[in-house]
Amino acid sequence: MSGNNGRMDVINPATGETIEEVPVSSAAELDTAVAAARHGFGEWRGVSGLERAEIFHEVSRTLREAADELATLMTHEGGKPYVENHDEVGWTTACFDYYGELARDSVGYLPAPIEPQQLALVVREPVGVVACIVPWNYPLLLAAWKLAPALAAGNAVVLKPSEETPLATRRMHALISGLLPEGLLGAVYGAGEVGEALVRHPGVDMVAFTGSQETGRKVGMIAAERLMRANLELGGKDPFIVCDDVDVEVAAQGAVWAACLNAGQVCTSAERFYVMKPIADDFVEAARSFVEGLKIGDPMDPTTDVGPLINEGGRGKVERHVGEAVRDGARIVAGGERWGERGFFYKPTVLSGVGPSMRVMRDETFGPVVPVVEVGSLDEAIEAANSVPYGLGANVYTRDFEKMLRCMRGIRAGTVWINDPLTDNDAAPFGGYGGSGIGRELGREGLEAFQETKHVHIDPRVEKKEWWYPYGRDDEPGRRTI
Ligand code: NAD
């Protein structure tokens, strides 16, 4: 990271125009943020769980009142439709409410002591100053999934939003940091070099990261060098299995939504579709018809279904994946091309005749693409679902309970959604198997990720123990024997 103040352009993906130039945080500003967080951490330790919960509910109220403004900022900087961004603010506030309360009864437990008169305590304590680094696709929600449990557990936070989407985060920070002890919640701005400097900063005790596998590996390596705790939420390539006992129209519409939500730029976007042979043609036709009815365009328009991709690079990757699949024999059933005169739009796309070795079936595409593969059995679908080095989420459509259980047990993924794609639950853990990450967010696990565990062993009697020195021979009376 350079010591001088550079600036970064924030670009509206719907128009390609620069909205604002945001200063990149300098090394000195980063030092100040970490030092202030350390100071705020000391003060926060003196605030009771009840008071913290009240503050969190105030944070939640404040964000709810600013929902229109925050959703507008997110739409301008990220291109996600306004409707989806408004929902995101709602989920963000729910996360603060949940962790404010959960933390009050998650301070530890009492295991059975070694002797009856003793007391054994397991005490949950904060880790310290946590660096929270997030991507651009859900800027406020993914920040909340970290900073709500981290702060609720008593930590301090320095947050770094993506260089693509700093504006809503900066506004959220301005709205809520004053409700907390001074410095407790800091924010720094910039791209990877600022993120890396934060992870390397000696005043940081833990990193909570969401982003790509590639960056996650780098962050994990720095954390390993420093023997520092790292929670890594990385990319996915989620499978979507459709059995032949379901209403094909409903399954196809669920599939298209799971693939095209936020223009396919969700870490748990469905990206591979395994459909039972008897219904495969009907499924492709239903997906085509649904996709062609979607409204693409201005993400601020509340009737827009699909907005732009985040930038030219993101759209280029989708074009490469689709182009290579077509070159290798796949057929474009719908979409497969850019949309509009400006911005980074790409039409929702349905592909048939795709093969397992195509990149569109192996690497994260992060775009609105529905590649469909016919399968002959559920076992074949489950085996295919487990065939890539990701394991974030998976979706299944079936009415058959036995098949639900087979999928639940057989699919290696952090979340398996059955007949209700992509529904997150604050009270249940979220994260990945394998290459999709290390650790969990949300639920109790998402709080424990930010807690140290201390065992305290108390014996109220001050007495010499019989197993101390001196050791003696077996035949010596009064001595310890083996
Ligand atoms: P990215 O990895 O490029 O960037 C993520 C964040 O890391 C950004 O803030 C970036 O500035 C920062 N960064 C970049 N290099 C860094 C470095 N060397 N050290 C520290 N920080 C660094 O990812 P992205 O393009 O912003 O987001 C898309 C990716 O995020 C996709 O792979 C997606 O699947 C993943 N994602 C995962 C989840 C999840 O919960 N598992 C959720 C959303 C997105």
Side-chain angles (χ1 to χ4, degrees):
M1 191 177 95
S2 66
N4 58 338
N5 267 5
R7 300 181 87 77
M8 54 188 182
D9 288 343
V10 182
I11 292 168
N12 182 337
T15 63
E17 287 160 3
T18 299
I19 311 168
E20 194 177 322
E21 288 180 357
V22 172
V24 172
S25 301
S26 66
E29 284 165 336
L30 202 153
D31 284 344
T32 304
V34 174
R38 176 72 54 197
H39 185 264
F41 174 61
E43 197 178 323
W44 194 227
R45 293 201 83 165
V47 178
S48 74
L50 182 59
E51 280 177 83
R52 285 183 194 164
E54 283 167 359
I55 292 172
F56 271 42
H57 295 316
E58 185 58 32
V59 164
S60 176
R61 260 192 304 278
T62 305
L63 295 177
R64 258 199 306 276
E65 282 165 12
D68 295 350
E69 181 194 2
L70 291 166
T72 302
L73 282 170
M74 276 196 282
T75 307
H76 286 148
E77 65 184 346
K80 181 153 34 68
Y82 181 83
V83 177
E84 295 176 16
N85 282 321
H86 215 273
D87 286 347
E88 181 174 342
V89 179
W91 303 331
T92 300
T93 65
C95 184
F96 277 100
D97 286 328
Y98 171 71
Y99 277 114
E101 294 303 328
L102 184 71
R104 290 172 61 193
D105 74 354
S106 305
V107 290
Y109 62 96
L110 298 182
I114 299 299
E115 293 183 32
Q117 80 286 353
Q118 297 174 337
L119 184 62
L121 304 160
V122 173
V123 183
R124 303 274 192 214
E125 295 193 327
V127 180
V129 175
V130 183
C132 296
I133 300 178
V134 296
W136 45 264
N137 58 346
Y138 288 88
L140 298 191
L141 185 68
L142 296 174
W145 285 11
K146 293 164 187 53
L147 55 95
L151 295 172
N155 300 281
V157 165
V158 179
L159 172 64
K160 193 201 83 64
S162 166
E163 59 276 26
E164 305 281 356
T165 52
L167 303 181
T169 308
R170 189 180 64 184
R171 184 68 188 128
M172 175 172 79
H173 182 255
L175 286 166
I176 68 175
S177 57
L179 301 172
L180 299 159
E182 198 178 340
L184 185 74
L185 173 59
V188 291
Y189 300 91
E193 66 277 15
V194 178
E196 183 169 336
L198 186 57
V199 182
R200 288 192 185 282
H201 198 287
V204 165
D205 302 298
M206 171 180 172
V207 57
F209 170 85
T210 298
S212 62
Q213 234 183 28
E214 190 188 350
T215 312
R217 190 172 283 119
K218 289 183 197 162
V219 169
M221 282 167 74
I222 299 169
E225 274 170 22
R226 296 194 51 202
L227 296 178
M228 179 175 79
R229 196 188 290 207
N231 224 45
L232 304 175
E233 297 288 341
L234 311 180
K237 187 74 187 170
D238 288 7
F240 193 114
I241 296 173
V242 186
C243 297
D244 54 11
D245 57 38
V246 294
D247 179 330
V248 176
E249 285 288 328
V250 172
Q253 294 188 11
V256 167
W257 184 76
C260 298
L261 178 70
N262 192 10
Q265 303 167 114
V266 185
C267 53
T268 49
S269 288
E271 296 212 355
R272 300 176 286 145
F273 296 80
Y274 302 105
V275 183
M276 295 294 168
K277 223 180 192 96
I279 58 161
D281 288 345
D282 290 348
F283 177 89
V284 169
E285 174 50 24
R288 182 202 61 73
S289 141
F290 194 51
V291 147
E292 290 185 343
L294 296 179
K295 183 171 172 187
I296 312 172
D298 177 7
M300 280 304 293
D301 179 342
T303 64
T304 291
D305 297 310
V306 182
L309 293 160
I310 186 69
N311 53 30
E312 195 60 74
R315 180 166 65 178
K317 186 177 180 194
V318 179
E319 288 178 326
R320 278 196 304 284
H321 282 202
V322 172
E324 284 176 25
V326 171
R327 183 198 64 199
D328 295 339
R331 189 169 71 84
I332 294 176
V333 179
E337 59 186 355
R338 296 179 174 199
W339 181 92
E341 304 283 293
R342 57 184 197 157
F344 313 117
F345 293 89
Y346 190 83
K347 285 186 183 173
T349 297
V350 179
L351 296 175
S352 67
V354 292
S357 61
M358 294 177 183
R359 240 178 350 147
V360 78
M361 293 299 281
R362 287 189 292 108
D363 296 348
E364 190 177 48
T365 304
F366 233 48
V369 184
V370 183
V372 183
V373 175
E374 285 183 16
V375 286
S377 69
L378 187 57
D379 287 341
E380 185 187 338
I382 293 173
E383 194 181 330
N386 292 336
S387 67
V388 298
Y390 289 100
L392 194 56
N395 292 278
V396 179
Y397 263 82
T398 181
R399 288 182 192 279
D400 181 331
F401 190 59
E402 193 264 332
K403 289 179 182 161
M404 293 181 194
L405 294 185
R406 272 166 67 196
C407 290
M408 177 190 96
R409 297 198 178 104
I411 297 174
R412 294 190 54 75
T415 306
V416 178
W417 287 287
I418 298 174
N419 301 331
D420 186 16
L422 272 53
T423 298
D424 293 327
N425 179 349
D426 289 326
F430 178 92
Y433 278 36
S436 286
I438 297 173
R440 290 291 180 274
E441 296 190 318
L442 299 185
R444 289 193 173 274
E445 290 85 347
L447 182 69
E448 286 166 10
F450 296 99
Q451 290 176 317
E452 281 288 10
T453 302
K454 182 181 279 175
H455 169 212
V456 182
H457 173 86
I458 301 172
D459 192 330
R461 299 171 314 180
V462 182
E463 286 176 358
K464 181 180 185 306
K465 307 294 181 192
E466 66 177 22
W467 52 86
W468 293 355
Y469 299 134
Y471 300 148
R473 293 195 312 277
D474 288 0
D475 55 358
E476 202 170 320
R479 288 295 183 96
R480 184 181 176 199
T481 55
I482 295 169

